[in-house]
Amino acid sequence: MGNAKVSGGGRRWRATAYDLIVLLGLLALFAANLCLGSVGTSPAEVLGILLSGPGDTSTAAQVIWQIRLPRVIEAALLGGALSLSGFLLQTFFNNPIADPFVLGVSSGAKLAVAVVMIVVLGAGQPMSPAASVGAAFLGSLLTMGFVLLISRRVRSQGMLIVAGVMVGYICSAATNFLVAFADDQAIVNLDNWSRGSFSGATWPDAGIIAAAVVAMAAAVFALSKPLGAYQLGEPYAQSVGVNVLGLRMLIVLVSSLLSACVAAFAGPVSFVGIAAPHLARRGVGSSRPLLVTPACFLTGAAFCCGCDLVARTLFSPVELSVSAVTAVFGAPIVIALMLRGRAGR
């Protein structure tokens, strides 16, 4: 019993140390995102601008307050959301490669945006940011609702994965069908959105994202105890009083809402939901949801902040797709961690 307590205490200390290290890295990346760009500013200048408040009318202050600060806040929040979504799905499917978009949520969002761009607005009509966000949310939630309906009738996680993949294929096929009849400008706009980007972030958007992500993150943390039981198998979870069917529906609902929020405000952003949970579990040395949840959020936030910094500064003034950068960094991380895990076993 004493050894178990020491072991548990050691895991908590390791998790705390990992969280502090990642938090420091996130703060460093946060500062780098504010300092680096086409308008270069030193850390001292950035600090002075932040302390002076948003009333400063200088060019550097406008760049910091209106462009870089809401963008890096959005990248951190949505990165954390993607990581938590990936952790939930990997726990649900007991599959290390489960991804927030495995249930077809991003494909549903893209289909809804395509319908609004091509069918509702038609040729030559610009699509406002609000319309894009609304369409993406609607498509994500409709897709999520359909998959939830399937989950009530399908008890096998493997079959639910297949159902989600098929829903994604159907949505992608419908989108391609619409694109075949679209004008060139609509095709360009849809392609730009589907690449994934944190550009164009605004303070109102950041406020909405913060409220949604904080609420969902709190829900994930509240589910830590039943999730820990679920990790030991459905029979064990049922034996300790967990409503397994209700928990499964909550996992799908919360993970889909998190990824829908990302799709609505940033478009599809790949690989964060796979790579960040792996890094977090490896860093804390445990799969306990109570320890992994904060580590997941911080890791995803830091990962997206770093990738967004690379995307907008590496070939400046040309900005890369953040989804491409996350895939470039995320894929080797996942491969290396999986190989190390297999070698350890």
Side-chain angles (χ1 to χ4, degrees):
M1 182 67 69
N3 291 336
K5 289 182 178 180
V6 171
S7 178
R11 285 196 296 269
R12 285 192 292 271
W13 277 110
R14 177 171 173 174
T16 302
Y18 176 83
D19 291 345
L20 289 175
I21 291 171
V22 176
L23 179 60
L24 291 174
L26 175 60
L27 292 175
L29 289 168
F30 202 93
N33 272 278
L34 295 180
C35 294
L36 300 178
S38 56
V39 178
T41 50
S42 67
E45 289 174 328
V46 170
L47 182 61
I49 289 171
L50 294 177
L51 292 176
S52 65
D56 193 339
T57 58
S58 66
T59 300
Q62 292 299 305
V63 169
I64 296 298
W65 277 103
Q66 301 303 322
I67 299 176
R68 293 183 187 171
L69 190 56
R71 176 168 180 160
V72 71
I73 290 174
E74 182 175 306
L77 289 172
L78 295 182
L82 276 173
S83 181
L84 287 179
S85 182
F87 170 66
L88 286 175
L89 289 177
Q90 289 170 15
T91 301
F92 180 74
F93 295 120
N94 192 25
N95 190 324
I97 61 170
D99 180 78
F101 301 108
V102 74
L103 299 179
V105 174
S106 62
S107 298
K110 184 176 180 179
L111 174 59
V113 171
V115 169
V116 174
M117 280 185 182
I118 298 168
V119 179
V120 178
L121 296 178
Q125 296 294 321
M127 186 173 183
S128 68
S132 177
V133 169
F137 256 126
L138 180 62
S140 299
L141 294 178
L142 286 175
T143 307
M144 176 200 66
F146 184 71
V147 176
L148 278 174
L149 186 63
I150 295 174
S151 70
R152 298 187 64 172
R153 302 180 64 90
V154 175
R155 304 191 68 87
S156 167
Q157 290 93 337
M159 289 299 296
L160 189 56
I161 288 180
V162 173
V165 171
M166 293 302 105
V167 169
Y169 276 127
I170 292 170
C171 292
S172 296
T175 302
N176 291 335
F177 180 81
L178 289 174
V179 167
F181 298 95
D183 65 284
D184 293 342
Q185 186 59 49
I187 294 173
V188 170
N189 292 338
L190 182 63
D191 181 66
N192 289 337
W193 177 87
S194 64
R195 290 175 185 271
S197 175
F198 299 116
S199 63
T202 63
W203 284 111
D205 287 352
I208 295 171
I209 291 168
V213 172
V214 169
M216 290 299 102
V220 176
F221 194 78
L223 290 173
S224 294
K225 188 173 181 179
L227 279 175
Y230 186 82
Q231 286 178 332
L232 299 176
E234 290 189 11
Y236 176 80
Q238 288 176 333
S239 70
V240 295
V242 175
N243 182 348
V244 173
L245 181 59
L247 178 63
R248 290 178 65 199
M249 294 188 64
L250 277 174
I251 292 173
V252 175
L253 176 63
V254 174
S255 63
S256 298
L257 283 173
L258 286 167
S259 55
C261 185
V262 178
F265 287 95
V269 179
S270 63
F271 252 101
V272 180
I274 300 178
H278 278 284
L279 286 172
R281 279 191 292 263
R282 178 73 63 173
V284 302
S286 172
S287 294
R288 288 181 58 192
L290 192 65
L291 301 179
V292 175
T293 297
C296 264
F297 188 89
L298 291 172
T299 304
F303 191 79
C304 271
C305 284
C307 289
D308 189 48
L309 179 64
V310 172
R312 68 179 182 83
T313 61
L314 185 61
F315 297 109
S316 181
V318 176
E319 184 171 317
L320 301 174
S321 162
V322 71
S323 190
V325 179
T326 55
V328 166
F329 286 102
I333 290 173
V334 174
I335 292 172
L337 291 176
M338 292 180 70
L339 288 176
R340 286 183 60 185
R342 185 167 185 173
R345 287 194 297 273

